[in-house]
């Protein structure tokens, strides 16, 4: 008993007090920033190196980077001869619209979280409590580990009333990780159908958003993503727990109209 | 048979090609010699003319040697063969994949069932058509769980055949995570894309699988890395081992309702994976390892940070892990639960910690060492009771050994040159043509094996991946026999096997 109390005391408080105001190490690769400056003549180094074809060079010569498929390897920043692309330690990269994930040249500041794009019933019903059913659909398990970490004593997502539950019948929505394999597609459909309305869909990680590095695999069946409205995209490989928690908090926050 | 070692480049034309009958007799003879021998890979590669070239790689742990033998099956000829599994059960998984991917029929295979259900499977079955083993009788009932489970975990279907509360048999159906890793590996893509793919084989074994991949590619491109890089990679692998073992001890405590142990150990995993974030910007070590070099130096400042992180962790960890293994409420659940005997472990070809907790010494770091492990100073533990207790306590012993080993490596990296040389971003060199490389790494679960084959132009035509889970899922199934179904969670957590590593 005394030993247990000693362990308890030595452990101390572990919880991050404010999950919206943490500063991650500089080396963490979060939201990329693309400077508005001309590329070296004819240079396509970033486009060539990107392992998931996330970078586009427009005919006008401007660079944009899509966080949807991005695995945040940062190789484009290393390859760029003029340091035009850099990765910041900003982890607030989740957004309710797919377009907001595309980073354009010259844009400064955070990923735009367009509150108008969020369905009004979400904050109305889920502002104080959101129960989610997670569906792991052929990813590599790193997204799942980070989603589990969201609920540990460090991140303690439960304090906001956001929790993962055992049954879709108890859930307000589903969180999909992985590129959705053919073999998992039916189970995923059944799970979503079992969630009562109103219900939300969250895609977490590059694989879920676009298929990621598995995008062209014949083993995928991604019709679900086309068929249903997606309420939140959480980019990353895997998304940091802070990215997920901040995204969901922004999604369900009550808004003053 | 041709003898070689882990990471050797073997010219394809030196590998003996024999008839299937000779192949079978040679393999059985080799395996019979002693218990240290096991099959680490056995796969088929489709030749341009449609023939199937099959290679079997056998390992002798006592001599650190690998042996390879092959046979060809003509596209037009018979695909019906007697099976090796009838004699050595551990071959079952390889023969099932040969059947599923290439249509090879094995006449006397004891368990010829689908493995991953790829969309173009030769058997033509879909994942809903799995032929479950069934026991009939008035007292028997079935419990089916999954593919989606109660927690945030990967999908798989578990079918329990029970009498009352006791499990007579557990069958595990996988394949839900199949996403075509091996197929995507041989597409004409950049080395970086392949490396990112290797990082996504199993996220909890990012370092293990990526190291196996980059080692294979380095051998094929005749690249060597500096001593410092070898040390850094070993530090990363041992850190991954510590992080997962701590997380699994936390999960085991949660399942036996020891809340303090669960929450303290859960929190202690965080600084381990956060160290990866300080080192390479990602909590799982994604982005760290690359073919020919690593992207992020373990600078003196990071070395100091790592020492301090380990010291801080160990102070609380040694206390809570000692307490955990003294608590009657924990021991009562762990001891004599989920026993897998040494004989069973041998028969199914268990590897890694699943084998070592059942008295079978399997550790690539000692038996087929590469890089810094050649110094043979990493300690391997073997326990003999084969129960949940053994698997939990083995994790504690391995955490302690890995802590000591990392500190040892940190001493050595001081004297090694920190100049890692230039990291070549683009696929650095052409791969050696018409060659085979077998790359083995002891991940935290056990033996990871990547096998690469190139054609006469140096194009990668096969990259096979074997996660230790491919063998060890059967250990979980056996561990449940005669146990209460309510002990499934702790048996499962004690192994913590990979679905995505198995399903690829």
């Amino acid at each position: 008993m005394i030993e247990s109390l000693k362990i308890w005391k030595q452990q101390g408080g572990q919880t991050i007090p404010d999950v919206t105001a943490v500063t991650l190490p500089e080396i963490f690769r979060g939201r990329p920033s693309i400077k508005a400056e001309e590329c070296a003549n004819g240079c396509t180094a970033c486009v060539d190196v990107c392992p998931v074809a996330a970078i586009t060079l427009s005919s006008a010569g401007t660079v944009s980077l899509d966080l949807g498929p991005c695995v945040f390897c940062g190789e484009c920043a290393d390859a760029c001869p003029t340091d035009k692309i850099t990765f910041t330690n900003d982890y607030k990269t989740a957004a309710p619209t797919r377009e907001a994930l595309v980073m354009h040249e010259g844009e400064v500041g955070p990923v735009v979280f367009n509150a108008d794009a969020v369905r009004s019933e979400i904050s109305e019903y889920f502002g104080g409590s959101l129960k989610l059913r997670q569906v792991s659909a052929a990813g590599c398990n790193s997204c799942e580990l980070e989603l589990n970490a969201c609920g540990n004593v460090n991140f303690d997502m439960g304090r906001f009333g956001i929790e993962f539950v055992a049954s879709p019948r108890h859930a307000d929505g589903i969180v999909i990780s992985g590129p959705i394999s053919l073999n998992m597609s039916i189970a995923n459909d059944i799970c979503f159908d079992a969630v009562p309305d109103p219900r939300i869909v969250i895609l977490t990680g590059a694989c879920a958003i676009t298929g990621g590095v598995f995008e062209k695999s014949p083993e995928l069946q991604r019709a679900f993503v086309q068929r249903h409205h997606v309420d939140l995209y959480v980019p990353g490989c895997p998304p940091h727990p802070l990215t997920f928690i901040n995204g969901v908090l922004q999604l369900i926050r009550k808004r003053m109209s | 048979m041709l003898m070689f070692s882990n990471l050797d480049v073997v010219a394809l034309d030196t590998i003996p090609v024999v008839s299937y009958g000779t192949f079978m007799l040679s393999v059985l003879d080799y395996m019979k010699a002693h218990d240290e021998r096991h099959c680490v890979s056995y796969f088929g590669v489709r030749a341009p003319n449609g023939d199937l070239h099959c290679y079997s790689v056998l390992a002798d742990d006592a001599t650190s040697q690998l042996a390879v033998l092959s046979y060809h099956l003509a596209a037009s000829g018979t695909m019906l063969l007697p099976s090796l599994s009838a004699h050595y059960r551990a071959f079952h998984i390889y023969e099932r994949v040969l059947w599923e991917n290439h249509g090879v029929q094995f006449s006397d295979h004891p368990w010829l069932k689908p493995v991953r259900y790829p969309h173009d499977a030769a058997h033509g079955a879909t994942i809903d058509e799995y032929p479950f083993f069934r026991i009939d009788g008035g007292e028997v009932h079935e419990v089916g769980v999954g593919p989606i489970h109660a927690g945030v975990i990967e999908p798989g279907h578990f079918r329990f055949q029970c009498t009352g509360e006791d499990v007579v048999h557990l069958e595990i159906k996988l394949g839900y995570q199949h996403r075509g890793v091996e197929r995507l590996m041989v597409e004409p893509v950049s080395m970086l894309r392949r490396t990112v793919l290797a990082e996504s084989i199993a996220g909890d074994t990012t370092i293990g699988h990526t190291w196996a991949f980059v080692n294979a590619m380095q051998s094929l491109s005749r690249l060597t890395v500096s001593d410092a890089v070898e040390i850094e990679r070993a530090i990363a692998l041992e850190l991954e081992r510590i992080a997962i073992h701590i997380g699994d001890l936390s999960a085991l405590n949660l399942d036996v309702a020891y809340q303090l142990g669960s929450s303290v150990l859960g929190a202690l995993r965080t600084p381990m994976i956060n160290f990866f974030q300080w080192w390479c910007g990602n909590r799982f070590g994604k982005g760290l390892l690359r073919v020919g070099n690593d992207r992020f130096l373990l600078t003196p400042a990071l070395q100091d940070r790592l020492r301090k992180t380990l010291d801080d962790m160990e102070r609380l960890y040694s206390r809570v892990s000692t307490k955990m293994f003294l608590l009657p409420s924990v021991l009562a659940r762990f001891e004599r639960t989920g026993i897998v005997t040494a004989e069973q472990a041998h028969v199914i070809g268990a590897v890694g910690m699943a084998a070592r907790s059942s008295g079978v010494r399997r550790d690539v770091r000692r038996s087929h060492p590469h890089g810094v492990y050649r110094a043979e100073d990493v300690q391997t533990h073997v326990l003999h009771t084969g129960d949940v207790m053994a698997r939990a306590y083995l994790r504690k012993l391995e955490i302690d050994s890995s802590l000591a080993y990392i500190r040892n490596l940190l001493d050595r990296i001081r004297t090694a040159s920190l100049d890692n040389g230039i990291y070549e971003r683009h696929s650095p060199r052409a791969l050696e043509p018409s060659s085979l490389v077998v790359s083995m790494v002891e991940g935290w679960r056990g033996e990871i094996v990547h096998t690469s084959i190139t054609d006469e132009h140096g194009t990668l035509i096969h990259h096979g991946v074997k996660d230790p889970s491919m063998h060890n899922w059967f250990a979980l199934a056996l561990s449940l026999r005669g146990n209460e179904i309510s002990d499934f969670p702790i048996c499962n957590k004690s192994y913590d096997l990979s679905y995505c590593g198995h399903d690829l």
Side-chain angles (χ1 to χ4, degrees), chain B residues 9-42:
Chain B
V9 177
V10 178
L12 287 183
D13 55 16
T14 61
I15 300 173
V17 181
V18 296
S19 71
Y20 184 75
T22 312
F23 169 86
M24 206 173 156
L25 290 173
S26 308
V27 167
L28 293 178
D29 264 358
Y30 182 88
M31 294 290 291
K32 223 166 22 196
H34 56 88
D35 281 354
E36 301 290 323
R37 295 182 170 177
H38 63 294
C39 181
V40 295
S41 194
Y42 175 24

Side-chain angles (χ1 to χ4, degrees), chain A residues 47-254:
Chain A
V47 178
D48 297 342
V49 77
C50 182
V52 286
I55 302 177
T56 316
L57 198 59
S58 76
S59 51
T62 60
V63 174
S64 58
L65 197 167
D66 185 357
L67 298 188
C70 181
V71 292
F72 293 79
C73 63
E75 298 268 1
C76 51
D78 290 359
C80 178
T82 59
D83 291 333
K84 181 169 164 146
I85 304 176
T86 49
F87 280 78
T88 71
N89 62 347
D90 177 7
Y91 50 85
K92 292 179 188 171
T93 47
T97 58
R98 187 66 184 80
E99 309 80 71
L101 297 187
V102 183
M103 304 286 104
H104 298 285
E105 187 170 322
E107 283 175 352
V108 284
V111 170
V112 179
F113 196 100
N114 181 6
D116 294 334
V118 177
R119 291 183 285 145
S120 60
E121 63 261 36
I122 290 182
S123 61
E124 192 180 323
Y125 282 96
F126 308 131
S129 158
L130 179 68
K131 306 296 171 202
L132 296 165
R133 176 59 248 188
Q134 205 273 331
V135 181
S136 167
C140 76
N141 196 29
S142 56
C143 283
E144 291 78 2
L145 287 169
E146 289 298 51
L147 291 173
N148 272 319
C150 289
N152 72 13
V153 293
N154 304 106
F155 297 103
D156 191 19
M157 187 170 69
R159 72 185 119 162
F160 308 110
I162 310 165
E163 279 174 332
F164 290 104
V165 292
S167 167
R169 293 286 189 209
H170 306 156
D172 305 315
I174 66 170
V175 179
I176 300 175
S177 58
I180 313 181
S181 59
L182 177 66
N183 291 345
M184 199 52 204
S185 59
I186 293 172
N188 183 54
D189 287 344
I190 294 171
C191 180
F192 183 68
D193 289 345
V195 178
D197 266 328
R199 56 192 174 180
I200 66 173
V201 175
I202 298 175
L203 301 182
T204 189
C207 290
I209 298 172
T210 65
V213 74
F214 304 106
E215 189 187 350
K216 295 190 177 73
S217 171
E219 306 296 343
L220 304 187
Q221 171 46 271
R222 293 181 51 77
F224 179 91
V225 178
Q226 276 91 52
R227 274 205 317 271
H228 298 284
H229 174 76
V230 176
D231 294 288
L232 188 67
Y233 298 89
V234 189
C237 183
H240 196 283
L242 291 170
T243 308
F244 183 82
I245 296 172
N246 277 280
V248 176
L249 282 176
Q250 280 183 288
L251 183 72
I252 63 175
R253 187 174 295 158
K254 289 254 188 288

Side-chain angles (χ1 to χ4, degrees), chain B residues 451-500:
Chain B
T451 44
S452 305
I453 289 189
T454 54
D455 68 5
E456 65 273 24
H457 310 294
T459 307
L460 194 63
I461 53 167
H462 167 83
H463 188 82
V465 176
K466 192 194 77 178
D467 188 89
S469 307
M470 281 190 57
H471 304 290
N472 293 350
W473 276 110
F474 252 70
L476 173 61
L478 290 175
S479 75
L480 257 289
R481 289 194 174 176
N483 283 254
E484 289 180 16
I485 195 165
S486 53
D487 280 331
F488 173 71
I490 56 169
C491 289
N492 189 27
K493 298 275 169 60
S494 70
Y495 285 107
D496 188 13
L497 298 171
S498 179
Y499 302 73
C500 54

Side-chain angles (χ1 to χ4, degrees), chain B residues 382-450:
Chain B
V382 177
L383 297 175
H384 296 272
T385 49
D387 51 3
V388 171
M389 179 65 186
R391 291 185 290 275
Y393 200 70
L394 187 74
R395 288 172 189 271
K396 177 174 161 51
L397 295 174
E398 293 193 356
I399 291 167
D400 293 340
S401 290
S402 291
L403 279 169
Y405 193 58
I406 291 179
R407 287 180 177 131
N408 170 355
L409 292 173
L410 283 170
D411 289 340
R412 280 158 64 183
I413 203 170
R414 281 213 183 128
T415 54
S417 162
L418 255 190
D419 177 16
N420 284 10
I422 301 160
Y423 159 53
E424 297 176 79
R425 189 159 293 101
H426 293 285
S427 168
R429 285 177 210 185
L431 302 180
E432 201 70 30
S434 302
S435 300
L436 161 78
V437 163
V438 177
S439 172
M440 299 167 72
V441 167
E442 185 76 12
W444 67 268
R445 278 192 190 93
E447 178 185 289
I448 295 166
V449 182
H450 285 214

